[in-house]
Every structure is written in structure tokens, then in C-alpha cells.
């Protein structure tokens, strides 16, 4: 009897573990014939870093640094337990870190493209 209980417990544990590991990098939600893809924080951060790097012509080190920054931003923005104030503070911090990391001409060029700038700081969320 003990062996049967042990086997069932192990079977359930491995099943739960396997299901948890089978999540994709992107989740898909369907609503009203529209498909919305929610990227993981890592993938979304990489996408934002690539957009910024392509627009401003940043080097690989800066791209990696911004990818980590944007990954942290997306983790915060996707966390449903955090308040709106906390998310706004994260958006403000990301804006300040971007401003501190690039030179004046790059900053002026970025702020001229308000759609990209708002996407990067998370103002739309």
C-alpha cells in the first residue's frame, strides 16, 4: 500500500513538473477574432533593446545592458500584484536610466520619436 501511494505521488509530481516546463516563450490569447501574443519578459526586453539599438545605432554592450533593463521593466509591468503607482515609478526609472546611458544627440533623436520612447519606458501600460 505504501508503495502504491509513493508511486502515485511521484507520478503526480513529475506530471506537474513536466507541465510547468512546457510553457512557451510567448503566450497567446484569443479574443473577438483577434490574436494577442504576450511575450515573456526576456523576449520583450530583447525586442525593445533591438528597437532602441537599431534606431540609435548602439554597440553590442549597450544593447545587452538595455536588454536587461527592459527585461526588468517587462517583469514589473506584467506582474499583476503590483500597484499602478509602482508600475509608474518603474516607467520613470527606465526613462531616467535611458537618459543617463545615452548622449544628448541620441536622447534628442529618441525623444523626437515619441512612439518608440513611450514604448521603451512603458508609458502605454
Amino acid at each position: 500500500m505504501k508503495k502504491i501511494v509513493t508511486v502515485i505521488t511521484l507520478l503526480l509530481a513529475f506530471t506537474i513538473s513536466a507541465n510547468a516546463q512546457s510553457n512557451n516563450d510567448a503566450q497567446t490569447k484569443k479574443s473577438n477574432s483577434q490574436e494577442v501574443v504576450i511575450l515573456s519578459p526576456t523576449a520583450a526586453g530583447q525586442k525593445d533593446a533591438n528597437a532602441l539599438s537599431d534606431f540609435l545605432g548602439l554597440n553590442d554592450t549597450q544593447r545587452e545592458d538595455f536588454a536587461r533593463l527592459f527585461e526588468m521593466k517587462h517583469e514589473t509591468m506584467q506582474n499583476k500584484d503590483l500597484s499602478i503607482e509602482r508600475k509608474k515609478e518603474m516607467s520613470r526609472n527606465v526613462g531616467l536610466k535611458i537618459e543617463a546611458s545615452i548622449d544628448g544627440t541620441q536622447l534628442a533623436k529618441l525623444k523626437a520619436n515619441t512612439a518608440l520612447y513611450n514604448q521603451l519606458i512603458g508609458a502605454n501600460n
Side-chain angles (χ1 to χ4, degrees):
M1 186 67 180
K2 288 181 183 179
K3 290 181 181 181
I4 293 175
V5 171
T6 303
V7 169
I8 292 173
T9 303
L10 288 174
L11 179 67
L12 288 174
F14 286 121
T15 303
I16 291 170
S17 175
N19 285 337
Q21 292 177 357
S22 68
N23 287 341
N24 290 341
D25 217 24
Q27 297 174 347
T28 304
K29 291 184 178 179
K30 291 184 179 180
S31 62
N32 297 339
S33 74
Q34 292 181 342
E35 191 173 290
V36 177
V37 176
I38 300 174
L39 297 175
S40 70
T42 304
Q46 192 65 42
K47 180 182 172 204
D48 283 352
N50 288 339
L52 178 63
S53 180
D54 292 343
F55 186 69
L56 297 179
L58 303 177
N59 62 37
D60 289 340
T61 304
Q62 289 174 314
R63 182 187 303 241
E64 291 170 9
D65 292 341
F66 279 118
R68 283 192 297 274
L69 173 66
F70 295 138
E71 178 182 352
M72 187 173 63
K73 175 197 79 168
H74 285 289
E75 285 174 355
T76 301
M77 296 301 184
Q78 290 179 9
N79 188 340
K80 297 189 184 341
D81 296 333
L82 295 179
S83 67
I84 293 172
E85 291 81 22
R86 176 66 181 110
K87 291 179 180 182
K88 285 182 181 179
E89 182 65 21
M90 174 54 110
S91 179
R92 188 182 73 80
N93 286 338
V94 168
L96 292 173
K97 288 181 181 185
I98 291 172
E99 291 174 9
S101 301
I102 58 178
D103 65 34
T105 57
Q106 289 175 325
L107 182 60
K109 183 179 177 183
L110 178 61
K111 285 195 172 185
N113 187 344
T114 56
L116 178 61
Y117 183 70
N118 288 336
Q119 173 192 335
L120 295 176
I121 65 170
N124 308 6
N125 298 330

